[in-house]
Amino acid sequence: MAVREIFAGMPWWVKWIAVPVIAIVVFGGLIASVVGFVVWLLFKILIVVVLVGGIVFLVRKFMSSSSSSRGDW
């Protein structure tokens, strides 16, 4: 409640421009680090999904071709 009382008498631009700009300046490096880490993590997860999907595809293709060739024996 104290924060609302403090901001109650302030102009709109203090609440919606000055405070967010100060927060970005102070925590900008932290925010950039967190966003960078999340992007890096999502990229690594995407790589794992693509590699596992490729391996599953190759194994299924190999298994289906080898099973059909076994019938020819």
Side-chain angles (χ1 to χ4, degrees), residues 31-60:
I31 293 168
S33 297
V34 169
V35 169
F37 176 75
V38 169
V39 168
W40 175 81
L41 188 64
L42 289 174
F43 180 71
K44 294 293 183 176
I45 290 171
L46 179 66
I47 288 175
V48 168
V49 168
V50 167
L51 290 175
V52 169
I55 289 173
V56 168
F57 173 76
L58 289 175
V59 167
R60 284 187 178 176

Side-chain angles (χ1 to χ4, degrees), residues 6-39:
I6 291 172
F7 283 122
M10 298 288 170
W12 67 270
W13 59 269
V14 172
K15 291 186 264 190
W16 299 107
I17 296 175
V19 172
V21 166
I22 292 170
I24 289 172
V25 168
V26 171
F27 297 109
L30 178 65
I31 293 168
S33 297
V34 169
V35 169
F37 176 75
V38 169
V39 168

